[in-house]
Amino acid sequence: MGHVEADWNEQKLVEKAQRALTALSLGDDAEALVEVAPTAAAPQARADETKALMLLLFGECSTMVATLGDGGSAPVKVQVFDEDGEEVSIDQADPPVRTAVRTLLAEVHGNTEAAQEQVEIALANAAPDEVDSLVLQALRWTIRLSVECLDRDLPVAPWISEAVSD
């Protein structure tokens, strides 16, 4: 019975992420954060929901990085953006964003367990606004990577391509 529920939750998570990607691609960061806000009442359930969302996005980013990198033969640059969407060096990024970079790199290198640990550390140590910046970072990477993949006629998860190409 639990498996069916998990699938339903994942579908819900995908729908939330899709709405957030659409809002962010229209330049509405605040609306994107409203869309991905956890719906659970209990603090632990809220944290688990945010973690699941982050891992969903990082998983998709990782797949697109691998696709763009042509199995590692072409370099892919990870860019970090501040609250205004301006690129900053990784050293200038807030600790949660540096954690996001480590999470993405762990995921890209096939170490999903390390990626999960990084997300847990980030969420455990982050203030609410830092959690928001982490979520926005993951959404921005998802959009930029998907646009790059679509420009090159490379595959992108349908729920992402629908969100960014509207």
Side-chain angles (χ1 to χ4, degrees), residues 21 57 61 64 138-147 160:
L21 288 170
L57 292 170
C61 285
M64 291 186 285
L139 290 166
R140 281 197 180 101
W141 281 338
T142 305
I143 290 171
R144 286 175 195 251
L145 287 165
S146 61
V147 166
I160 296 174

Side-chain angles (χ1 to χ4, degrees), residues 41 62 72 76 114 150 156:
S62 169
V76 175
L150 293 168
V156 171

Side-chain angles (χ1 to χ4, degrees), residues 44-110:
Q44 188 55 52
R46 292 175 70 82
D48 289 347
E49 193 176 332
T50 301
K51 185 175 100 177
L53 174 83
M54 298 291 288
L55 291 170
L56 168 72
L57 292 170
F58 282 125
E60 292 295 347
C61 285
S62 169
T63 301
M64 291 186 285
V65 166
T67 302
L68 284 165
D70 194 25
S73 65
V76 175
K77 181 182 172 203
V78 175
Q79 295 170 294
V80 179
F81 305 95
D82 64 15
E83 304 80 49
D84 304 320
E86 297 298 315
E87 190 177 353
V88 294
S89 93
I90 180 79
D91 304 325
Q92 294 174 301
D94 294 333
V97 173
R98 289 202 294 271
T99 303
V101 173
R102 288 194 290 275
T103 304
L104 180 58
L105 292 174
E107 195 71 73
V108 167
H109 292 289

